[in-house]
Amino acid sequence: MPENTEQACAPIGVLLVDDQPLLRMGFRLILEGEEDLAVLGEASDGAEGVALAAKLKPDVVLMDVRMPVMDGIEATTRIVAQSPEAKVIILTTFDLDEYAFAGLQAGASAFLLKDVAPEELVHAVRLVASGDAVVAPRVTARLLETYVRNGAPNRSLAPAPERDPLLGDLTPRELEVLGAMSEGLSNAEIAHRFFLSEATVKTHVRRILTKLHLRDRVQAVVYAYETGLVVPSQGLDY
């Protein structure tokens, strides 16, 4: 019993990967001011970040994209491959950043602006560690809309490409929930739309991720756009 209690109280381990020492120091001060968060280490480039992630086994990695030696996109790809339990948050300067989109494609779970407010940073780390939510879901959806529509015309999303056979494993309700997730809706909003309990929505989300072999909700959103399940709109009101 004591061991279980100790394990349940273990803080969320965070790895900082950014080539700007002042930014790393600022993030460290914010995160270490919270009892449930702990900064396990810092890296100044992607290659060092990959090595430290393998060694320290963080729960969450805050990852810059523009760095020397190895950029954050390649580092994210490697970390996701070697440490599936680690969740990566891409750090970016602009909300509609092609690098942030590439980071999501590489396996990142979310992205944050570098000038994020302290309370938002803390909240984001907790959310991503829980695996039950996407940071700034509507911003994430807008990012996907923009780059799938404008940055990937050669993939010819219309008419819809041949569907992934895995979609055949989803029930009609799960397809509806996946569509709602791709709009950036939270569990509470999905529950309200379909007159379900939040617990039922969480069950549907977990089954969708399992059936489609996806890491988390944001990867489900990327999947929905890239497979043509969701066709970019002519402009949604976010």
Side-chain angles (χ1 to χ4, degrees):
M1 191 75 171
E3 291 183 359
N4 292 337
T5 302
E6 183 178 345
Q7 190 173 22
C9 296
I12 297 168
V14 182
L15 173 63
L16 306 177
V17 185
D18 195 292
D19 62 345
Q20 299 179 45
L22 286 178
L23 188 140
R24 295 199 310 269
M25 180 176 69
F27 279 4
R28 176 182 279 274
L29 288 173
I30 293 169
L31 297 173
E32 291 193 334
E34 304 295 322
E35 291 184 0
D36 61 330
L37 305 178
V39 176
L40 305 181
E42 299 181 19
S44 59
D45 62 66
E48 186 181 3
V50 171
L52 282 180
K55 178 182 178 181
L56 301 175
K57 307 296 184 186
D59 300 298
V60 177
V61 180
L62 290 177
M63 177 73 72
D64 188 20
V65 286
R66 299 171 179 85
M67 294 180 291
V69 185
M70 179 187 294
D71 66 33
I73 308 306
E74 177 63 24
T76 295
T77 301
R78 297 192 184 193
I79 288 174
V80 168
Q82 75 180 13
S83 306
E85 69 284 352
K87 303 293 178 64
V88 179
I89 299 177
I90 292 291
L91 298 172
T92 181
T93 305
F94 309 104
D95 61 355
L96 291 180
D97 187 345
E98 63 195 74
Y99 287 97
F101 176 65
L104 296 181
Q105 287 185 307
S109 295
F111 73 96
L112 284 177
L113 297 179
K114 285 193 171 186
D115 61 354
V116 62
E119 61 272 17
E120 291 180 19
L121 173 66
V122 170
H123 182 58
V125 170
R126 288 172 178 152
L127 278 177
V128 170
S130 75
D132 286 334
V134 176
V135 178
R138 285 181 177 76
V139 177
T140 303
R142 190 176 74 203
L143 181 85
L144 289 164
E145 280 271 323
T146 299
Y147 286 100
V148 171
R149 186 193 308 119
N150 299 333
N154 294 332
R155 281 206 297 256
S156 184
L157 291 182
E162 188 174 336
R163 280 195 168 191
D164 184 337
L166 291 177
L167 286 172
D169 294 334
L170 300 186
T171 66
R173 176 64 82 189
E174 288 166 352
L175 283 170
E176 289 178 332
V177 171
L178 177 57
M181 289 165 63
S182 72
E183 295 177 39
L185 299 187
S186 67
N187 285 347
E189 290 167 330
I190 294 172
H192 182 265
R193 173 178 291 187
F194 297 121
F195 304 101
L196 302 170
S197 69
E198 283 193 55
T200 298
V201 172
K202 286 184 179 181
T203 298
H204 284 312
V205 170
R206 291 193 187 97
R207 287 176 178 169
I208 289 167
L209 297 181
T210 298
K211 289 180 179 181
L212 298 180
H213 308 300
L214 300 170
R215 285 165 51 83
D216 53 35
R217 292 173 66 101
V218 77
Q219 294 306 304
V221 178
V222 173
Y223 172 90
Y225 278 90
E226 292 195 320
T227 60
L229 183 65
V230 175
V231 177
S233 70
Q234 296 304 309
L236 298 178
D237 181 12
Y238 291 112

